[in-house]
Amino acid sequence: MNKIKLLIVDDHRILVDGLKKLFENSETVQLIGVAYSGKECRAFLRNEQPDVILLDINLPDASGIDLCKEIKKQNPPIKIVALTSFNEYAIVRQMIENGASGYVVKNAMPEEIILSVETVM
C-alpha cells in the first residue's frame, strides 16, 4: 500500500515541528511538505500533488476558509482536513462547505490527528 502524501499548512512553527515528528514514524502517512503561509502553499501545489492537506484556518496572509475553496476548485482530488484551535461550529461548517473533508483540533491526541488524515483518504 502506498503511503498517504501529506502537506501541512500552518504558521505556528512549534506545532509544525510536533506534527513533523508525529508523522515521521507513521506507517500510513508520508509528510511531503510544509508551508507556513497561503503563498507557500500555492507555490508548493504548483509542483507537488499531496493526497491530503492539514490546513490551518488562520494563516498570516490568507484565510484558510478561502484557501480551502481555492485548492478544491483547482485540485478536486486533494482531501483537506481543517486544522483549528477553535472547536467553533460556524467556522468548521464554512470549511466543510468550501470542500474540507473533515477537521481536527490542534490539541487533539496524536492518534486522532493521524486518524483524521487516514479517515479522509
Side-chain angles (χ1 to χ4, degrees), residues 58-114:
N58 289 312
L59 294 167
D61 65 340
S63 154
I65 295 166
D66 296 338
L67 187 57
C68 177
K69 188 175 193 175
E70 179 184 323
I71 292 167
K72 288 301 287 183
K73 188 175 178 186
Q74 294 170 358
N75 302 286
I78 294 176
K79 306 290 186 215
I80 296 175
V81 176
L83 187 59
T84 178
S85 46
F86 315 106
N87 202 351
E88 197 174 315
Y89 179 72
I91 292 171
V92 170
R93 191 185 78 235
Q94 282 183 288
M95 285 292 284
I96 301 293
E97 286 172 359
N98 282 356
S101 300
Y103 81 99
V104 65
V105 289
K106 290 181 180 182
N107 63 352
M109 297 301 292
E111 309 80 49
E112 292 176 294
I113 294 173
I114 292 173

Side-chain angles (χ1 to χ4, degrees), residues 22 32 41 78:
L22 176 64
I32 62 166
C41 176
I78 294 176

Side-chain angles (χ1 to χ4, degrees), residues 1-13:
M1 182 183 103
N2 289 340
K3 286 188 172 189
I4 299 164
K5 294 185 291 186
L6 176 69
L7 169 65
I8 297 171
V9 182
D10 196 301
D11 61 318
H12 296 97
R13 291 183 187 268

Side-chain angles (χ1 to χ4, degrees), residues 15-28:
L15 176 79
V16 170
D17 288 347
L19 289 171
K20 282 178 171 174
K21 288 248 182 289
L22 176 64
F23 289 109
E24 240 171 43
N25 302 313
S26 172
E27 294 182 16
T28 57

